[in-house]
Amino acid sequence: MSATRGPTPRAVVLLSTLTLLAVACGDDPAPEPEVPEACLGSDQPNLELGHGVGGAFAPLADAEEVGLIAAPQGGFGVTVLVRTRGLAVVDNPLRFSLEPWVDDEVAGHFEFDRRIQCLSNGTGGLLNGTVVGFDETKYGTNDALLSLDGQLIELVITAEDVDGRTATVRRPVTLLVGG
């Protein structure tokens, strides 16, 4: 009867050395992606309003005609994209305030916190499909909404980052209601 023997000490050393070499020579972990400067906090943060054109951001021009859609918070409003620059958007939510202004008066107000994506092209952060909604108690009927048709109103959006930096954009737009 033969005795079962384990690996020789030389085999153990050789196997241990090969294991260490395999671990040491393995793939390096992927480097952390560099964060675009526009997605970090700066002394001059700003916001830009736009809309999506073929999946790309297109700035909203002064007095551009915009329509109404149903707002997720209730009632109706204007949908926009919001591009940020100089606000810390990576791993932190921003605090947004949305207001439509009619005849120099606030015609609705909605606030929320949201994490937004940092665009890989380095142009900043992007909040998609935001609806600047009108107050349902004042603009909850068809007649009230139709009274806004053709009016130049202002969309006012403010964003604040985790470090207290704020940026506000005011954009006049011409509101089209109905057809």
Side-chain angles (χ1 to χ4, degrees):
M1 186 156 145
S2 68
T4 306
R5 295 191 318 175
T8 65
R10 185 173 183 190
V12 170
V13 169
L14 181 60
L15 184 59
S16 297
T17 303
L18 289 174
T19 302
L20 286 173
L21 283 173
V23 170
C25 294
D27 292 336
D28 288 335
E32 288 290 320
E34 192 168 316
V35 176
E37 198 170 309
C39 293
L40 302 173
S42 76
D43 293 340
Q44 297 180 349
N46 67 47
L47 301 177
E48 186 176 12
L49 296 185
H51 47 88
V53 175
F57 181 89
L60 196 59
D62 283 350
E64 187 169 329
E65 294 180 341
V66 297
L68 288 177
I69 68 163
Q73 62 267 33
F76 290 88
V78 176
T79 186
V80 294
L81 299 178
V82 182
R83 183 163 54 186
T84 69
R85 287 191 176 106
L87 292 172
V89 301
V90 178
D91 297 328
N92 298 300
L94 295 179
R95 178 83 172 149
F96 287 94
S97 169
L98 314 172
E99 297 176 338
W101 285 61
V102 176
D103 297 326
D104 296 322
E105 291 185 17
V106 175
H109 180 85
F110 185 66
E111 291 185 6
F112 60 93
D113 294 335
R114 174 117 9 105
R115 287 180 188 252
I116 64 171
Q117 69 185 64
C118 181
L119 298 172
S120 60
N121 64 7
T123 59
L126 186 65
L127 177 63
N128 290 307
T130 301
V131 179
V132 182
F134 289 90
D135 182 351
E136 278 188 283
T137 61
K138 188 170 183 181
Y139 297 99
T141 66
N142 285 338
D143 288 340
L145 289 171
L146 285 170
S147 73
L148 298 172
D149 189 44
Q151 283 199 42
L152 189 66
I153 65 163
E154 249 187 334
L155 302 177
V156 180
I157 298 181
T158 300
E160 181 179 4
D161 72 11
V162 69
D163 297 320
R165 281 180 287 272
T166 61
T168 299
V169 61
R170 299 179 78 92
R171 179 71 56 215
V173 294
T174 302
L175 193 59
L176 299 179
V177 180

